[in-house]
Amino acid sequence: MERERREEAKKKALEDEAEFLKMKSRFFGICFTDGLVQVRVLESVEEVIQEGNALHHCVFTNDYHLKTDSLILSARIDEQRLETIELSLSKLQVLQSRGLCNENTEYHNRILRLVKKNMPLIQKRLIA
């Protein structure tokens, strides 16, 4: 039963891909690093699904990717996911940054500083 529910949710999300692309595609390609931690915008519903599954949190199940005011980013070292970041586009601030099972990682403050430092990259895309 649970598996069927998850499959149905995934099917619906993939149907939402067009809306997601319309709302978020102007931010695609944004990626920045401090030399160790890399942060990038998630660019598809499938990437959001994978992020939520890998880190065991609700970024996908709560439809953060479809919120008009939210931008979802992934912080990683190499390909190892650290935290998922939800950013408010209207306030240009981090709303939340969560690692495995909604815990903060040892890199949490570093991630927040990195995102804050690179906020102008996101702001430029809002104006363009």
Side-chain angles (χ1 to χ4, degrees), residues 19-51:
E19 183 65 22
F20 174 80
L21 292 174
K22 190 168 93 175
M23 289 190 303
K24 310 300 181 187
S25 63
R26 75 172 102 173
F27 303 103
F28 291 0
I30 291 176
C31 182
F32 44 88
T33 184
D34 65 3
L36 177 65
V37 175
Q38 181 184 52
V39 177
R40 70 175 189 83
V41 172
L42 295 179
E43 297 183 358
S44 71
V45 174
E46 184 60 36
E47 283 189 345
V48 175
I49 292 168
Q50 291 172 3
E51 187 86 358

